[in-house]
Amino acid sequence: MLPFTRFHAATLLDLHTWSTLSRNEVRPFLARFAIEPLRRKFPMLRIYEHLLGLSPADAAEEQMLGGGLIRATDVAERFGLPGDDLREALRTPGNPYPPLYAFGPRRNLMLNAQVEQLLASPRNAFHSLAPIEGHALPASRLARHLKVPQARIDAILADKGHLPARIISDGRIRYIVSDVMHRLASSEEKPTSEDDLRAEETNIAIPEVTPSSTDGASHGLFADTMTRAAAQSETQLSCTGSGANARRGDCLHGATPEAKLSGT
């Protein structure tokens, strides 16, 4: 039962209860943030720090984090606001609301404890939690931090309907670095298939070998071998012409040495 402690070993069912995500989507969801289980269970401290970017400083904060998340649509109902109005307000600097954890479509979540604190306070107060430095960064700092061209970050952020996970606090948007890294990895060019490699090999042009290219001792045995191979290839190609000689497999200068040796 909630709240969990920081060292609670959470099962997939526990995380379903804590996060409001379905049980089947918890594991692939956490993989986006490079969070792995420990013997099939997830230490909650790992979830707090690598998913939310928060680490409890005392027992009160531990209880807040262990109380779980709440969907933004449910928060809007508690505040008596349409969902669109709440989302617009959250993007306004100086708004009075707790941070929003936007993990994707229909995954807009807030800390339940902060929402309850705000509702109970006559001054709309709630306890703010200090974020872990470097866990989430503004868009302007992502390329330099991840050491990638700015164009790759721009491409990821171009689709406004499919943005990486982000935290919206006091109207400012910060993208969770681990999820941006996951997007970068998934957007890299796929390796060439074996069929494509074979097609490329058949289209590779053989460099023409000329007498001038084999001059000099520096070319040595390799150059002589290439010259003989090119000459033999040229001889075989000349045998593909039409006429009586072509029918016998002979060329203008008679049968090849290999044909004579085989008795043909």
Side-chain angles (χ1 to χ4, degrees):
M1 296 293 293
L2 300 176
F4 296 139
T5 64
R6 73 176 73 188
F7 298 119
H8 177 75
T11 65
L12 294 179
L13 182 59
D14 289 337
L15 290 175
H16 154 70
T17 302
W18 180 84
S19 68
T20 77
L21 301 175
S22 73
R23 182 177 177 179
N24 291 335
E25 67 178 324
V26 167
R27 187 184 290 273
F29 171 74
L30 294 181
R32 287 171 45 189
F33 306 92
I35 301 174
E36 296 291 340
L38 179 63
R39 295 183 64 85
R40 298 186 180 182
K41 294 185 178 181
F42 296 83
M44 286 307 299
L45 184 61
R46 188 175 298 180
I47 302 296
Y48 300 155
E49 293 188 352
H50 295 279
L51 179 61
L52 303 181
L54 301 171
S55 185
D58 52 36
E61 291 187 355
E62 182 177 348
Q63 187 170 17
M64 286 180 60
L65 290 171
L69 303 171
I70 182 174
R71 294 178 181 269
T73 52
D74 296 332
V75 174
E77 290 182 5
R78 292 189 183 185
F79 291 164
L81 294 173
D84 291 342
D85 289 357
L86 176 60
R87 285 189 289 271
E88 182 178 355
L90 289 167
R91 288 167 172 77
T92 303
N95 72 77
Y97 302 113
L100 174 74
Y101 297 89
F103 294 130
R106 297 181 298 279
R107 289 179 180 171
N108 297 312
L109 307 169
M110 304 172 80
L111 270 178
N112 188 47
Q114 289 179 325
V115 173
E116 291 180 350
Q117 290 172 357
L118 184 148
L119 289 171
S121 170
R123 296 179 177 273
N124 298 323
F126 60 88
H127 180 70
S128 296
L129 299 167
I132 295 175
E133 185 176 359
H135 172 262
L137 297 174
S140 59
R141 293 176 54 192
L142 288 173
R144 177 175 294 183
H145 178 79
L146 296 173
K147 295 180 175 60
V148 298
Q150 182 63 45
R152 294 197 63 191
I153 299 297
D154 293 342
I156 290 175
L157 302 183
D159 185 357
K160 301 304 181 182
H162 189 55
L163 292 171
R166 56 210 181 275
I167 302 171
I168 305 175
S169 180
D170 195 26
R172 294 188 297 270
I173 300 176
R174 294 176 295 121
Y175 293 90
I176 298 178
V177 173
S178 57
D179 195 39
V180 176
M181 293 174 63
H182 182 268
R183 292 289 184 89
L184 287 172
S186 62
S187 66
E188 288 179 352
E189 184 177 356
K190 295 183 180 179
T192 306
S193 66
E194 293 184 2
D195 291 340
D196 292 338
L197 287 174
R198 283 194 291 268
E200 290 178 2
E201 289 173 355
T202 58
N203 292 327
I204 293 175
I206 300 176
E208 182 180 358
V209 180
T210 61
S212 61
S213 66
T214 60
D215 292 341
S218 61
H219 294 77
L221 180 61
F222 178 76
D224 294 338
T225 303
M226 288 293 293
T227 303
R228 288 195 299 272
Q232 181 177 346
S233 175
E234 183 177 357
T235 301
Q236 292 173 349
L237 288 174
S238 67
C239 298
T240 60
S242 60
N245 289 337
R247 187 177 299 110
R248 292 194 305 268
D250 295 346
C251 47
L252 295 178
H253 300 290
T256 62
E258 290 81 358
K260 292 177 181 179
L261 288 172
S262 64
T264 57

